[in-house]
């Protein structure tokens, strides 16, 4: 379905070709507004921001003046030499692409970002240590070189991985280059030539026709029925007519200028290029967008914070123990090696890669739900979003006109406006309805494209403008085959809609064979239609139109208009057969038929209705503590009506104006505190200071910004960000791109969105549907929670990896865990489980809590660090030490013997070291035992990490509430841990460089009681948290 | 969070304290402060004393003028008073009902937590020791096959000495003499029993019973005993080197096939060593010294020795010598371990 909508959209626009007289620009205003007197004024304001930056007066100049200004000739064009000179001076007619960081810089950034610096330091220290060893003893072992190389490899590999992931996600989207039209028809040297649009220069005379993209900013010199779609520039979705007359001081408003990258919908035109490349209006906006700094994503901030914590811990412990080691009379060289060990133990090497994978998994999941994430980190941003500034058209609404209300027989009827209206349920028995439906069906030029019989009516492609399409589909649903009805009521004459008449009229033979009268049907602006009527149909009977019926008409008109709907009036007249015999020839120019004393039948109003999923989505946002602000270029009344119907303004809240109206007092007298909602127009916004805007944003929970220019969107976004909110912005036009970029997360529309918007955005909604944002929020929050779990899981074992070193230094036992082995835990057994946590389901309804506070709810907070490091981490170390001591004791070295054994143990020359039983060990036998110790410690950590993995499934609920088997991936993770450990111990145990040995099977179970203890302890923790919410325990133990 | 805190505190500590928090706001720019900020409120106060005292001293001077505006009438430069007040606050913060007692409570909780962890690990270790006999190791596979060491040994396996310069070899003699003290005939006769050769000296009985040890007398080493030649041949350029097999509990050589020692030139001309005398002459470790019952019960166990008397070695050049053990259960070709079942050393005797 997502695929089809754009086709309908574009065809409707193109289909308007036949309707030259339909000037929708003006028609729209009339239809919509009864109180629209200051519309012109507002329009001026809308463009105000753009106007400021545009210094363009070419639209005011005459053709002659233009020729002189640009040294060109309208007939013959520029000469090739002139063009070449200008091209050399101004550069190609293309937008300079956004400044890209060179790939190599990006790559290097990955190499030095995060923990990489620490690991590089470790690697370099290793090499230095070897250098020192080598200089004193040429035969010193290469262990340190290996370790350094391994560390460097780890950094490079994880760097390459992260770079690859990033590159993959940034390449998803197309770039600006797509916007540039490929070819342009230009007159040069008196000849028409087709040249690449990039080579256009100012002064070139170009010809455009319907369907072309306008190749540069052009001043029209000649136009025939030319209409352009400026939506990507101004947000106006109505086609704008273009002519060569200067109609407005404002270059954006005047009709004789066509803008780069907008589309010519129909007609032909010749124009002179007045701006190229970055100097075009679009170019200026695009550069504005690239000038707006990209906000750092919240998750990036969190990860940086986390890296800082871990690095801080690593460095401080490292330095502390370096000092301790030196003061304990260790050699400096040894102390350096200890330092490396401590750094390696403290740094979760695999974590950043895991986070990347986790984020991309979520990104994939979101893509399935129509949220395409461009920047991986943006996955989480939606989760912390606290304000959504949403567009109206297309995002909240269906982006198609639909019949919403009918008025006949002095009654307002409601029509079904859902996406797939199957039948209309209002009362259709009245005779008035029979007449009205006939008018609706007949007085309409829109047609279905042939060959769509099987397609549901609402999805069929229609040739015709938006209102007519709505009417056609409506009557097709209600009456059945409209085409057939039109065939039976042969059309003999027709006056299409135009902006001066503001009505449309057609004359038909009737399908009643006995009745030889012609039927004249008319629709148009209600007041215009009513003027021409003298009677009104009530319950199928014509009645004279008196004051009271006129009153009823106006009441209904006002009411429907007040709903922000576009209202049309319908009337008809059966032409008397004696005056207009069957052979009568109607002349639409001479108007040889009556144009007064018609019979008014009814009103019908249309609106772009909200998507049916939106109200629910808004409710969800609200319960999730997210404020939804509507920002639209549309009329305040329409905006408010839609806002009310989707729940952005909830049913029982009022604006200041509403209260004033209800209490019948002046607006100034109303206590602003009473109003929950506010509708702010662009004009009001323009006059506001920053503080006033802040006040509006903080004091009203429900806000609608109407008639805003895209540039004001930027102001609104900045205002929200001043409230410390994480702001999501939706948009589709080029003009939205600065706001999209400024927002914490810019969301572009996949279907209606321009490339520039998609380029500036972090996320693209493939179905343009607001409800998809809610899914995104849910996923984002889930991923934040799950990342917490992943990090807690990963940090825990760091203590178990660190303690061996500390004990080794202080107590002097043989090293319990080697550096290489640590890397095997961090990058081996722990990887899959920590990714598996990303699949964990939410513990409670995450959509029922407030968005996290950017500064207070950190990813890694103190309870998380303390609980992971000082509780579970310590328990885990004890368990692992137990395995270590068991292995040593059973092999002959009791713990008491081990103390302070380090020096003798590590002496290569001692080949008869005595153990607790008097046995004597060679150096290599001890080394092998040491590796067995590593393996044992490794297995000890692994076994307890299984328990750790299980307890990390939840943070508050019991595991049994969460379900032990609901997340199957966790079990894949556990299996992977065990399998990797088995392979390392039994498969690769014979490779000495890896420092693994075959471990007796019973040692695998030594740490199991500790694993169970960890589980039980955590269950107790969670139990207390649940039992005593808000208590000291809750505050300190809930991460 | 900080902002709230400040406004809440302000009335209680109108002077001094406020500025401290102000300054922290600036510090918040860097992450360390953030880290601290996110910290639990109680805990932060816990942290404050040690982290910020120095900071305070500097700030205080800058803030003095401002402080005057507060009109507390404190004499200028009375930093001690302020410090006292801050200290007082650490002890008892009336606003948050937070005191050292509370901090103490946290410490107590942690103390009990770690105490119980310690209890658990102690219990585990206790259980571990229950499963491990004090007399015999549970497994011996890592220490098998036996390694080999030589005496004299002084951190180096290179025997460099000049026959005519006693200083160069005197330390070998001292080392050997010292090593053989425990092998003195009188001592051996006093402590150990003379058990029949050629068979294991098996002592059945309870594990915890003391075991008797067989005599290995210094005199068994004949010319290398240092009894006749107190210089162990070093003075004549015919050095004695003693070879000892590492003790392993329960290790038994093949019955009737005692472990033998044989030495030869490792690399180079085999004739560099023209003759070696072994003492005892069998060049083997007699079976009666096995098995070893562990040092708890087999207290006086004396490791058997084989002495190699290099009576005719090429002089004035380094001769690499490899001595190997031979016998069942002996491995002498482990690549990584050059001391299992063999030992390599060089003799460089100068005249």
């Amino acid at each position: 379905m997502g695929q089809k909508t754009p086709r309908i959209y574009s065809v409707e626009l193109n289909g308007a070709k036949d309707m030259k007289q339909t000037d929708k620009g003006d028609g729209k205003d009339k239809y919509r507004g009864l109180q629209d007197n200051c519309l012109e004024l507002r329009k001026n304001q809308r463009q105000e921001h753009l106007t400021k930056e545009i210094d363009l007066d070419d639209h005011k100049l005459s053709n002659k003046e233009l020729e002189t200004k640009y040294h060109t000739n309208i007939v013959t064009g520029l000469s090739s030499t002139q063009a070449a000179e200008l091209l050399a001076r101004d550069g190609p007619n293309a937008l300079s692409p956004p400044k890209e960081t060179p790939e190599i810089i990006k790559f290097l950034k990955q190499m030095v970002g995060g923990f990489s610096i620490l690991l590089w330091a470790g690697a370099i220290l290793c090499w230095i240590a070897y250098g020192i060893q080598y200089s004193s003893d040429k035969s010193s072992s290469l262990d340190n070189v290996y370790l350094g190389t391994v560390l460097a490899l780890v950094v490079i590999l994880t760097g390459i991985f992260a770079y690859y992931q990033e590159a993959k996600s940034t390449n998803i989207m197309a770039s600006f280059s797509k916007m540039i039209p490929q070819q342009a028809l230009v007159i040069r040297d008196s000849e028409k030539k087709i040249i690449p649009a990039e080579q256009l220069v100012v002064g070139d005379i170009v010809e455009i026709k319907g369907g072309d993209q306008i190749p540069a900013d052009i001043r029209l010199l000649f136009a025939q029925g030319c209409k352009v779609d400026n939506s990507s520039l101004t947000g106006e979705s109505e086609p704008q007519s273009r002519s060569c007359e200067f109609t407005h001081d404002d270059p954006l408003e005047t009709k004789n200028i066509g803008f780069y990258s907008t589309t010519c919908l129909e007609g032909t035109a010749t124009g002179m290029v007045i701006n190229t490349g970055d100097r075009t209006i679009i170019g200026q906006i695009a550069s504005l967008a690239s000038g707006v700094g990209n906000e750092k994503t919240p998750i990036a901030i969190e990860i940086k914070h986390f890296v800082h914590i871990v690095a801080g811990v690593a460095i401080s412990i490292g330095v502390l123990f370096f000092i301790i080691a030196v003061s304990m009379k260790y050699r400096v060289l040894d102390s350096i090696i200890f330092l490396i060990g401590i750094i390696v133990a403290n740094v979760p090497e695999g974590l950043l890669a895991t986070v990347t994978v986790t984020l991309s998994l979520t990104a994939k999941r979101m893509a399935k739900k129509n949220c395409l994430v461009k920047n991986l980190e943006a996955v989480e941003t939606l989760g912390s979003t606290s304000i959504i500034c949403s567009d109206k058209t297309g995002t909240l609404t269906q982006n198609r006109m639909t019949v919403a209300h009918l008025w006949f027989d002095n009654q307002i009827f409601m029509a079904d406006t859902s996406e797939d209206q199957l039948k209309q349920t209002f009362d259709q028995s009245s005779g008035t309805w029979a007449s009205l439906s006939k008018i609706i069906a007949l007085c309409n030029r829109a047609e279905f494209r042939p060959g769509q019989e099987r397609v549901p009516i609402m999805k069929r492609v229609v040739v015709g403008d938006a209102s007519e399409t709505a009417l056609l589909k409506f009557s097709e649903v209600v009456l059945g085959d409209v085409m057939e009805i039109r065939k039976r009521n042969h059309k003999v004459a027709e006056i299409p809609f135009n902006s001066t008449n503001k009505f449309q009229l057609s004359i038909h033979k009737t399908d009643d064979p006995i009745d030889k009268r012609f039927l004249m049907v008319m629709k148009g602006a209600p007041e215009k239609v009513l003027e021409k009527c003298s009677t009104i149909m009530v319950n199928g009977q014509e009645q004279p139109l008196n004051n009271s019926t006129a009153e009823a008409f106006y009441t209904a008109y006002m009411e429907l208009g007040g709903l922000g709907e576009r209202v049309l009036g319908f009337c008809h007249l059966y032409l008397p057969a004696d005056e207009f015999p069957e052979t009568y020839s109607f002349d639409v120019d001479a108007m040889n038929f009556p144009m007064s004393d018609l019979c008014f039948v009814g009103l019908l109003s249309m609106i772009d209705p909200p998507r049916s999923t939106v109200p629910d989505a808004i409710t969800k946002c609200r319960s999730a503590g997210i404020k939804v602000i509507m920002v639209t270029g549309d009329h305040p009344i329409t905006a408010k009506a839609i806002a009310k119907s989707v729940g952005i303004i909830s049913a029982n809240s009022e604006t200041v104006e509403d209260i004033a109206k209800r209490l019948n007092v002046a607006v100034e007298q109303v206590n602003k505190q009473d109003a929950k909602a506010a509708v702010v127009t662009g004009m009001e916004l323009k006059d506001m200071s920053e503080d006033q805007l802040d006040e509006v944003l903080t004091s009203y929970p429900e806000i609608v910004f109407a008639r805003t220019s895209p540039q004001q969107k930027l102001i609104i976004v900045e205002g929200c960000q001043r409230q410390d909110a994480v702001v999501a912005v939706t948009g589709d036009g080029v003009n939205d791109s600065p706001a999209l970029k400024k927002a914490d997360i810019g969301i572009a529309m996949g279907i209606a969105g321009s490339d520039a918007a998609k380029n500036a955005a972090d996320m693209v909604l493939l179905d343009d549907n607001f409800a998809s944002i809610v899914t995104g929020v849910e996923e984002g929050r889930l991923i934040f929670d799950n990342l917490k779990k992943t990090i807690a899981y990963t940090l825990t074992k760091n203590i178990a990896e660190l303690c061996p070193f500390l004990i080794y230094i202080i107590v002097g036992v043989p090293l319990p865990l080697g550096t290489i082995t640590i890397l095997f835990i961090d990058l081996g057994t722990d990887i899959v489980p920590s990714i598996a946590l990303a699949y964990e389901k939410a513990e409670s309804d995450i959509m029922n809590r407030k968005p996290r506070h950017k500064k207070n709810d950190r990813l890694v907070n103190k309870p998380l660090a303390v609980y992971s490091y000082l509780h579970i981490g310590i328990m885990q170390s004890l368990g692992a030490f137990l395995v270590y001591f068991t292995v040593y004791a059973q092999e002959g070295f009791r713990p008491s013997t081990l103390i302070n054994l380090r020096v003798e143990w590590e002496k290569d020359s001692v080949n008869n070291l005595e153990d607790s039983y008097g046995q004597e060990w060679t150096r290599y036998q001890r080394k092998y035992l040491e590796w067995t110790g590593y393996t044992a410690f490794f297995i000890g950590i692994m076994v307890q990490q299984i328990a750790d993995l299980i307890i990390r499934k939840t943070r508050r609920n019991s595991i049994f509430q969460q379900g032990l088997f609901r997340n199957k991936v966790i079990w894949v993770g556990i299996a992977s841990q065990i399998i990797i450990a088995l392979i390392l111990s039994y498969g690769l145990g014979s490779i000495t460089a890896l420092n693994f040995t075959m471990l007796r099977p019973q040692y695998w179970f030594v740490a199991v009681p500790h694993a169970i203890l960890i589980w039980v302890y955590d269950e107790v923790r969670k139990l207390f948290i649940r039992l005593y919410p808000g208590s000291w325990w809750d505050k300190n133990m809930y991460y | 969070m900080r902002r709230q805190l400040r406004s809440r505190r302000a009335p209680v500590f109108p002077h001094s304290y406020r500025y401290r928090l102000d300054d922290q706001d600036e510090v918040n720019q860097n992450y360390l402060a953030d880290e601290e900020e996110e910290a639990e409120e109680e805990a932060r106060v816990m942290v404050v004393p040690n982290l910020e005292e120095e900071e305070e001293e500097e700030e205080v001077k800058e803030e003095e003028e401002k402080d005057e505006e507060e009109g507390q009438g404190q004499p200028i430069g009375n930093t001690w008073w302020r410090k006292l007040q801050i200290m007082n606050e650490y002890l008892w913060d009336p606003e948050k009902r937070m005191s050292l007692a509370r901090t103490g409570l946290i410490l107590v909780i942690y103390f009990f937590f770690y105490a119980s962890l310690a209890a658990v690990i102690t219990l585990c270790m206790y259980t571990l020791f229950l499963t491990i006999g004090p007399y015999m190791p549970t497994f011996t596979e890592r220490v098998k096959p036996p390694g080999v060491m030589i005496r004299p040994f002084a951190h180096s396996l290179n025997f460099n000495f000049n026959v005519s310069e006693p200083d160069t070899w005197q330390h070998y003699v001292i080392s050997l003499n010292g090593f053989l003290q425990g092998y003195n005939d009188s001592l051996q006769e006093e402590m150990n029993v003379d058990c029949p050769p050629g068979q294991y000296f098996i002592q059945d009985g309870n594990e915890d019973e003391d075991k008797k040890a067989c005599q290995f007398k210094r005199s068994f080493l004949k010319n290398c005993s240092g009894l006749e030649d107190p210089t162990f041949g070093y003075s004549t350029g015919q050095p004695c080197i003693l070879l000892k097999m590492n003790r392993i509990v329960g290790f038994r050589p093949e019955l009737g096939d005692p472990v033998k020692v044989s030495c030869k030139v490792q690399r180079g001309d085999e004739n560099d060593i023209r003759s070696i005398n072994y003492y005892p002459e069998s060049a083997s470790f007699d079976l009666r010294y096995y098995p070893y019952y562990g040092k708890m019960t087999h207290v006086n166990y004396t490791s058997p020795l084989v002495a190699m008397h290099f009576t005719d070695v090429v002089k004035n050049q380094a001769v690499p010598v490899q001595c190997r053990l031979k016998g069942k259960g002996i491995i002498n070709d482990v690549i990584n371990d050059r001391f299992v079942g063999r030992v390599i050393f060089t003799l460089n005797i100068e005249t």
Side-chain angles (χ1 to χ4, degrees), chain A residues 967-986:
Chain A
N967 181 356
K968 305 273 186 305
V969 190
I970 289 279
W971 292 95
V972 174
I974 292 175
S976 85
Q977 272 181 307
I978 295 172
I979 289 168
I980 291 175
L982 283 172
I983 290 173
L984 285 175
S985 174
Y986 296 115

Side-chain angles (χ1 to χ4, degrees), chain B residues 264-281:
Chain B
K264 61 180 182 200
V265 175
Q266 189 212 7
R267 269 192 320 266
D269 190 356
E270 291 210 0
N271 295 325
D272 284 351
I273 301 175
R274 278 182 284 275
S275 84
I276 309 171
N277 291 342
Y278 297 96
Y279 311 107
E281 282 83 355

Side-chain angles (χ1 to χ4, degrees), chain A residues 305 308 860 862 866 870-871 889-891 911-912 914 916-920 922 924-925 928 932 1000 1017, chain B residues 31 38 40 43 110 113-114 132-134 137-139 141-143 145 244 246-247 249 294-295 336-337 339:
Chain A
H305 175 236
H308 280 159
V860 177
K862 190 188 150 220
V866 167
L870 297 184
H871 292 231
Q890 295 206 330
E891 293 290 347
N911 279 292
N912 54 350
E914 208 173 279
S916 318
Y917 295 92
Q919 307 183 94
E920 288 164 321
T922 66
Y924 188 76
Q925 285 169 337
Y928 200 76
T932 312
R1000 287 172 184 275
Y1017 179 67
Chain B
Y31 73 92
E38 102 218 316
E40 241 299 308
Y110 268 88
F113 174 63
Y114 288 127
I132 297 169
T138 318
F139 306 112
E141 91 279 358
R142 292 272 180 262
V143 74
K244 178 171 98 39
N246 281 352
R247 286 194 296 268
V249 172
K295 72 174 177 187
N336 289 318
D337 194 346
F339 293 90

Side-chain angles (χ1 to χ4, degrees), chain A residues 305 308-309 312-313 855-856 858 860-863 866-867 869-872 874-875 878-879 881-882 885-887 889-892 894-896 907-925 928-929 932 992 997-1000 1002-1003 1009-1010 1013 1017 1032-1033 1035-1037, chain B residues 1 31-32 34-40 42-44 46 102 105-106 109-110 113-114 117-118 120-121 124-125 128-129 131-149 151 153 155-157 244-250 292-296 303 334 336-340:
Chain A
H305 175 236
H308 280 159
I309 291 178
V313 170
K855 294 206 171 117
N856 292 349
R858 309 306 303 249
V860 177
N861 50 18
K862 190 188 150 220
V866 167
Y867 186 65
Y869 276 147
L870 297 184
H871 292 231
I872 303 297
I874 297 282
M875 289 164 93
L878 290 180
F881 266 109
L882 183 69
F885 281 126
T886 308
V887 168
Q890 295 206 330
E891 293 290 347
R894 291 161 156 271
S896 50
K907 253 187 209 157
D908 281 332
S909 55
V910 177
N911 279 292
N912 54 350
L913 186 76
E914 208 173 279
D915 67 10
S916 318
Y917 295 92
Q919 307 183 94
E920 288 164 321
W921 295 69
T922 66
R923 170 66 182 133
Y924 188 76
Q925 285 169 337
Y928 200 76
L929 179 59
T932 312
T992 51
T997 66
M998 296 197 196
L999 204 64
R1000 287 172 184 275
Q1002 63 263 38
Y1003 293 142
H1010 274 261
L1013 184 70
Y1017 179 67
W1032 177 86
W1033 184 269
K1035 277 191 239 157
N1036 282 275
M1037 302 294 272
Chain B
M1 181 173 159
Y31 73 92
L32 275 172
D34 272 354
E35 210 175 311
E36 190 204 321
E37 182 189 37
E38 102 218 316
E40 241 299 308
E42 289 91 332
R44 179 144 42 75
M46 267 171 59
R102 185 75 173 269
L105 182 72
I106 294 168
I109 288 174
Y110 268 88
F113 174 63
Y114 288 127
L117 280 189
V120 168
I121 192 77
C124 290
M125 293 298 268
L128 166 65
F129 286 127
T131 65
I132 297 169
Y135 309 108
M136 298 284 273
T138 318
F139 306 112
T140 50
E141 91 279 358
R142 292 272 180 262
V143 74
K144 272 180 196 165
V148 171
M149 263 316 276
R151 290 287 187 278
F153 179 73
H155 304 292
S156 164
L157 294 164
K244 178 171 98 39
M245 194 161 78
N246 281 352
R247 286 194 296 268
I248 292 165
V249 172
Y292 175 51
Y293 286 100
K295 72 174 177 187
M296 283 283 278
S303 288
V334 178
N336 289 318
D337 194 346
R338 287 177 301 139
F339 293 90
V340 162

Side-chain angles (χ1 to χ4, degrees), chain A residues 85-94 198-201 276-277 279:
Chain A
E85 274 170 29
L86 288 171
L87 189 64
R89 188 192 72 188
D90 296 341
N93 172 34
E198 283 198 5
Q199 292 177 12
L200 284 183
V201 294
T276 57
R279 288 168 300 281

Side-chain angles (χ1 to χ4, degrees), chain A residues 796-809:
Chain A
T796 305
K797 56 140 200 301
N798 277 1
I799 284 296
E801 289 167 353
L802 179 68
C803 282
F805 265 98
L806 307 189
I807 300 290
Y808 168 71
I809 295 169

Side-chain angles (χ1 to χ4, degrees), chain A residues 461-532:
Chain A
V461 179
V462 175
V463 183
D465 83 341
S467 312
E468 298 230 296
T469 307
L471 293 172
L472 174 63
K473 286 182 174 171
F474 177 71
S475 44
E476 182 85 11
V477 169
V478 181
L479 301 174
D481 195 341
V482 174
M483 295 302 162
E484 184 57 33
I485 296 172
R486 287 196 199 157
K487 249 183 231 163
R488 277 190 272 128
N489 297 275
H490 181 68
K491 193 195 288 180
V492 290
E494 173 177 53
I495 304 176
F497 191 91
N498 79 41
S499 51
T500 12
N501 293 343
K502 299 207 156 90
F503 68 81
Q504 179 181 357
L505 177 151
S506 59
I507 301 169
H508 301 259
K509 288 180 179 167
T510 57
D511 53 353
D512 186 349
I514 307 150
D515 194 348
K516 295 294 174 197
R517 292 177 299 173
F518 284 101
L519 173 62
M520 187 168 91
V521 289
M522 183 200 257
K523 75 168 186 224
E527 68 275 11
K528 291 275 174 192
V529 171
L530 193 72
E531 273 172 18
K532 299 183 172 58

